[in-house]
Amino acid sequence: MNIRPQEILAWAISTFGIIAIRRDERAARFLEEALELAQVEGVSEAIAETILARVYSRSCGDVTREIGQAQLTLECLAENISFDADDLARQEFERVQRLPRDYFVRRQNAKVALGIGGVPS
């Protein structure tokens, strides 16, 4: 990937404000994206609920290990369906950078209204 995580975080802070550095907010956004990916790949809501119940029935893991496992699992899925995860991330970053900040403010405010987002920027 030609982009660095520091660039992505800098963009997120300039777009969303201070909420971009809240770990709970970033984790919630990651969960949302993971669920959307699972949905598009045919994982049923029932299976997602079963996985959710299993995860929350267990004690918390180590954040560094969980990030590594999430990255490895995503890379494996992308390769399995003949996509390059780095290329897709680069393309998506380029796409979102072209969108106006108010687009993201509206989306964030809608998530706050639904109770699934933090304080809007």
Side-chain angles (χ1 to χ4, degrees):
M1 181 165 28
N2 295 332
I3 54 175
R4 301 296 313 143
Q6 296 88 348
E7 292 176 78
I8 297 167
L9 181 58
W11 170 83
I13 293 168
S14 72
T15 302
F16 297 102
I18 197 74
I19 198 168
I21 61 170
R22 282 188 31 199
R23 287 173 63 169
D24 61 336
E25 182 72 14
R26 291 298 91 212
R29 299 291 62 83
F30 178 79
L31 176 60
E32 180 180 22
E33 295 302 334
L35 288 169
E36 289 171 351
L37 175 58
Q39 179 188 40
V40 78
E41 282 299 303
V43 175
S44 70
E45 187 175 346
I47 294 295
E49 289 173 351
T50 300
I51 294 168
L52 179 71
R54 179 179 182 272
V55 167
Y56 279 89
S57 73
R58 302 170 66 175
S59 45
C60 290
D62 172 73
V63 68
T64 58
R65 188 170 178 187
E66 298 300 340
I67 288 172
Q69 289 174 348
Q71 182 77 18
L72 286 173
T73 302
L74 179 62
E75 296 277 350
C76 187
L77 174 61
E79 184 65 23
N80 182 269
I81 54 180
S82 301
F83 289 126
D84 183 309
D86 285 340
D87 284 345
L88 295 176
R90 180 188 45 74
Q91 291 170 26
E92 183 62 9
F93 189 50
E94 289 171 359
R95 184 188 76 81
V96 298
Q97 286 180 297
R98 292 189 299 266
L99 297 170
R101 183 178 186 279
D102 66 321
Y103 168 82
F104 294 103
V105 170
R106 285 192 308 274
R107 287 182 53 140
Q108 180 65 18
N109 289 342
K111 289 176 185 182
V112 169
L114 292 170
I116 61 169
V119 178
S121 56

